[in-house]
Amino acid sequence: MEIKVDNKGIAWSCRMCGKCCDSPTLTKKDIANISGYLKISFEETVKKYLTYFDGTYGELKEVKGKCVFLKNNKCSIYKVRPLICRLRPYSPQLKNGKLVLTYDGWFLNNCPGLFVGDLPIEREYLKYGSLVVKYLGAEKPTPDELFDRLKNRLAKGSV
């Protein structure tokens, strides 16, 4: 299924603030990539860095509400960061039977890098969106009112 962009006039530029760096869901491939990067076994990575692993998916541990790999607001495993982290702040969603790449609701409420504008979304995000759907499924649709609320806050200069 082809993925279309639906950003509703909101653009994004990462501010490297670390606000979105929580404990993401990992695929088995994410865990293998992290293991290789850290030069430790898959099993050691699971034991040391994951809160759980069910054989297919896992979740990274947090330190003070942030990803265990976030150091000084920078990802210490950036080259092999998990698939879901590569996609942020975007979210692949099914809307009216079509697959769209839009913003996750959390980001509309919390990300300081969003602004009113029409920057094109880089093609790599479309690829990551398709992969997230393939391995993790489509995400819950973002309510349209969150976009309107963000635009109103931006117009007032209060983000």
Side-chain angles (χ1 to χ4, degrees), residues 4-61:
K4 300 283 186 187
V5 174
D6 183 19
N7 64 8
K8 299 187 184 334
I10 301 293
W12 170 75
S13 178
C14 185
R15 301 275 177 91
M16 308 294 265
C17 67
K19 282 186 175 183
C20 66
C21 299
D22 57 5
S23 59
T25 300
L26 305 177
T27 65
K28 197 171 186 177
K29 184 175 180 180
D30 289 329
I31 299 166
N33 289 341
I34 293 168
S35 299
Y37 185 77
L38 298 176
K39 296 180 175 36
I40 60 176
S41 72
F42 187 94
E43 293 76 18
E44 187 177 352
T45 301
V46 169
K47 184 177 178 182
K48 191 171 181 179
Y49 296 108
L50 275 65
T51 56
Y52 79 90
F53 177 61
D54 67 8
T56 305
Y57 305 106
E59 187 172 289
L60 283 176
K61 289 181 179 177

Side-chain angles (χ1 to χ4, degrees), residues 31-144:
I31 299 166
N33 289 341
I34 293 168
S35 299
Y37 185 77
L38 298 176
K39 296 180 175 36
I40 60 176
S41 72
F42 187 94
E43 293 76 18
E44 187 177 352
T45 301
V46 169
K47 184 177 178 182
K48 191 171 181 179
Y49 296 108
L50 275 65
T51 56
Y52 79 90
F53 177 61
D54 67 8
T56 305
Y57 305 106
E59 187 172 289
L60 283 176
K61 289 181 179 177
E62 289 185 345
V63 175
K64 296 182 182 177
K66 295 293 178 186
C67 175
V68 68
F69 291 112
L70 186 67
K71 312 287 185 206
N72 299 317
N73 274 355
K74 293 195 189 289
C75 179
S76 63
I77 59 164
Y78 188 81
K79 286 183 178 181
V80 294
R81 67 196 182 282
L83 177 60
I84 200 76
C85 298
R86 293 173 185 272
L87 184 59
R88 290 180 176 178
Y90 303 108
S91 171
Q93 303 172 4
L94 281 175
K95 289 191 174 183
N96 302 320
K98 295 182 180 175
L99 187 59
V100 298
L101 189 66
T102 189
Y103 292 105
D104 179 278
W106 184 92
F107 287 90
L108 292 175
N109 287 322
N110 297 285
C111 180
L114 295 173
F115 56 95
V116 174
D118 193 28
L119 291 178
I121 293 177
E122 296 171 27
R123 292 187 55 80
E124 69 185 67
Y125 290 106
L126 298 172
K127 178 181 86 173
Y128 296 143
S130 295
L131 288 172
V132 165
V133 170
K134 179 179 178 180
Y135 293 109
L136 300 172
E139 298 177 345
K140 181 180 171 186
T142 302
D144 287 340

